[in-house]
Amino acid sequence: MVNKIYEVFNRIYYLMKLNGLWLLFTLLGGVVLGIIPATIALYACMRQQIRYESENHLFQMFKKYYGENFRRSLLFSAVFTAIALFFLGETIVLANAGAGNLLLEIAIKATRLLLILGVAMFFPIFVHFDVRGVKTILQPMLFLLICPLEVIYMAVIFVIVSLLFAISPLLILFIGVALPAYGMSLIMLKKFERLEKNINLSDFAQANR
């Protein structure tokens, strides 16, 4: 029992350290240019922790992933900025359309939800798979189609975390990014491992025909 409690508090402390590093490196990148490589670094460190229980030299590890992905993430920053502007445009369209156009409101909100889930999928996929070019953007959308259960789990995580932060907004400062990211990483890494296992079994079966 004591060991379980210690493990929980140790995990919370780990998330707080990661969240602090995310804030620090986001600011070092000038926020706009720093937020994407900092988020990639956060997910990469979590992947190491979940798969290999590696928590040593966290600052050096975070800095390494941040530096490796900074230049590459400039394109993603542009894409996510475009998505943010798209959301702004949708809000303006909804405000001008009024409450009468129900179909337009449903279409816009469905598109918004799809894009949010696609962005949420992007980071665990990016740090796990070596994808380049247009596949980097398309693969999260593909996983939305082939992982419906995981999408539901992620939506539940968003709801629970949002309620938690609504009750205690101060938690946002300490684990606001790290906590939901940790839940999503756990869910998606398990899915990736199952997919990779199935692919390996399929390759083995073909090789032994």
Side-chain angles (χ1 to χ4, degrees):
M1 183 66 179
V2 174
N3 288 338
K4 289 287 184 182
I5 294 173
Y6 173 79
E7 187 178 337
V8 169
F9 278 99
N10 188 54
R11 192 58 44 85
I12 292 171
Y13 179 57
Y14 173 75
L15 293 179
M16 289 174 65
K17 288 191 294 183
L18 262 184
N19 209 79
L21 288 171
W22 181 86
L23 286 169
L24 173 63
F25 281 87
T26 296
L27 292 173
L28 286 175
V31 181
V32 174
L33 297 180
I35 190 169
I36 304 302
T39 308
I40 290 172
L42 180 138
Y43 273 88
C45 289
M46 282 185 175
R47 178 178 181 272
Q48 290 294 108
Q49 195 280 329
I50 293 168
R51 297 196 79 181
Y52 310 112
E53 298 185 355
S54 175
E55 297 183 14
N56 297 325
H57 309 295
L58 185 58
F59 180 85
Q60 289 84 351
M61 188 188 301
F62 197 102
K63 183 180 177 181
K64 171 178 172 287
Y65 287 126
Y66 182 89
E68 287 176 351
N69 292 286
F70 187 85
R71 291 185 64 182
R72 190 179 174 193
S73 68
L74 293 177
L75 174 61
F76 307 139
S77 298
V79 171
F80 292 140
T81 300
I83 291 173
L85 292 173
F86 180 74
F87 284 171
L88 178 62
E90 283 184 326
T91 304
I92 294 171
V93 169
L94 275 177
N96 292 332
N101 201 329
L102 183 61
L103 287 177
L104 177 63
E105 185 176 350
I106 291 172
I108 287 177
K109 288 185 175 180
T111 304
R112 185 176 296 180
L113 178 62
L114 185 66
L115 286 172
I116 290 172
L117 289 172
V119 170
M121 283 278 191
F122 167 81
F123 293 101
I125 290 171
F126 182 86
V127 301
H128 190 79
F129 297 104
D130 184 20
V131 289
R132 303 278 173 172
V134 70
K135 289 182 180 179
T136 310
I137 305 299
L138 294 178
Q139 198 154 3
M141 296 303 173
L142 174 63
F143 270 86
L144 285 179
L145 298 176
I146 65 175
C147 305
L149 193 59
E150 283 72 21
V151 171
I152 294 171
Y153 289 155
M154 289 170 67
V156 171
I157 286 173
F158 277 125
V159 172
I160 294 173
V161 169
S162 297
L163 290 173
L164 180 63
F165 292 159
I167 295 169
S168 181
L170 190 61
L171 288 175
I172 297 173
L173 179 63
F174 296 104
I175 53 174
V177 177
L179 180 60
Y182 188 75
M184 288 186 287
S185 294
L186 278 173
I187 290 168
M188 293 311 300
L189 277 173
K190 288 180 180 178
K191 181 64 176 181
F192 298 155
E193 288 171 0
R194 288 196 300 269
L195 288 173
E196 288 168 347
K197 185 178 179 180
N198 291 338
I199 291 170
N200 290 335
L201 288 173
S202 176
D203 291 342
F204 179 78
Q206 290 180 4
N208 287 274
R209 279 182 178 177

